[in-house]
Amino acid sequence: MRAGGGGLPLAEEAFGLLREVCGQLGVDSRGAQLMRLRSNAVFKLRGDMVVRIATAPDALTRLPVVLAVARWLADRGFPTVRPVDEIPGQPIVHDDRAVTFWRYVRARGRPTTHELGRILRNLHREPVPPMPLRRLTDPLAEVRHAVEHRAEVLTAGQRAWLGDRIEELTGRWGDLETGPPVLLHGDAWIDNLLRCQDGHVVLLDWDGVAVGPREWDLVHTYHGQRRFGLSAADVEEFARAYGADLRLWPGYGTLMEVRDMYAVGIHIRNALGDPFSRQELPRRLDSLTRGDGHARWYMASPA
């Protein structure tokens, strides 16, 4: 989805697209609720469906594999959300945008980082699926693309600094010594884990699925303490459940810096059409350029 395409705010554009796609499929979109607007515009429909409208530039090529992996894992009994199989031909392409339909999970309470560590340990023990999964060789590719194609939301100085910093971190990423590649979730943040009504947890949002170093899935929780309010106890529980502590790995410092830069890309991409991204982007850029490794960042506007 183009940020603010046609001069519309992202949310308004996404609602319009939702109505058009659901109308073509005979799906009732009345009363749809916008649940999230970041890498996807995520809507809850009446009944048991969630609609995800992708904002990422590579979604059209990536989502067929995302859907296939989610189905493959679900068929193996791995605790994951599943696409709505009754809607064929997914991802559905409308005006060059990719739309997918998923089963809604009725959640009860907030999952714990202990549960996240355990489910990631099990995921990383799964075999690599028999499908053409991308290799995580350049985690900052989307940030680089955003810097190059969203000049209107950055000053010349910011673009130059970001370009140099991305180049430096990409080189340092390439020098990291990691273990054997595994099946990665790709965005293994606590908000992508849900506890169902019966108490068990499921993992959702497989857009970043890839094959690569397990450290990429682990760093999100440690970065969550650094930037998003997770506690030291949350991190300790995560490490205990996973069975390894990322902080003991020599590449930990570099990986945290890479993750810091990665977390800026979505707000560069969405700043034109999303009020929260316009508010959050300066906060993140300011702390990065000042070298402040512990400034608080936000997932939504602070109360």
Side-chain angles (χ1 to χ4, degrees), residues 147-204:
V147 171
E148 293 171 354
H149 293 83
R150 288 289 186 266
E152 60 270 48
V153 304
L154 300 168
T155 67
Q158 288 171 333
R159 290 183 69 201
W161 185 87
L162 285 165
D164 290 344
R165 182 67 169 155
I166 290 168
E167 182 179 0
E168 175 201 348
L169 289 173
T170 300
R172 288 167 59 189
W173 162 271
D175 292 336
L176 291 176
E177 294 185 6
T178 61
V182 299
L183 174 62
L184 296 175
H185 176 271
D187 190 16
W189 170 240
I190 188 68
D191 285 357
N192 285 329
L193 191 69
L194 291 178
R195 182 180 290 116
C196 303
Q197 295 290 321
D198 63 5
H200 80 278
V201 294
V202 296
L203 202 53
L204 66 153

Side-chain angles (χ1 to χ4, degrees), residues 279 298 300-303:
Q279 177 188 48
Y298 296 92
S301 296

Side-chain angles (χ1 to χ4, degrees), residues 31 39 88-89 146 171 249 253 260:
S39 296
W249 178 54
D260 252 357

Side-chain angles (χ1 to χ4, degrees), residues 69-71 73-74 77-82 102 119 201-204 206:
V69 170
R71 291 190 182 101
L73 284 168
F78 186 85
T80 177
V81 293
R82 187 181 185 101
W102 299 80
I119 204 170
V201 294
V202 296
L203 202 53
L204 66 153
W206 292 90

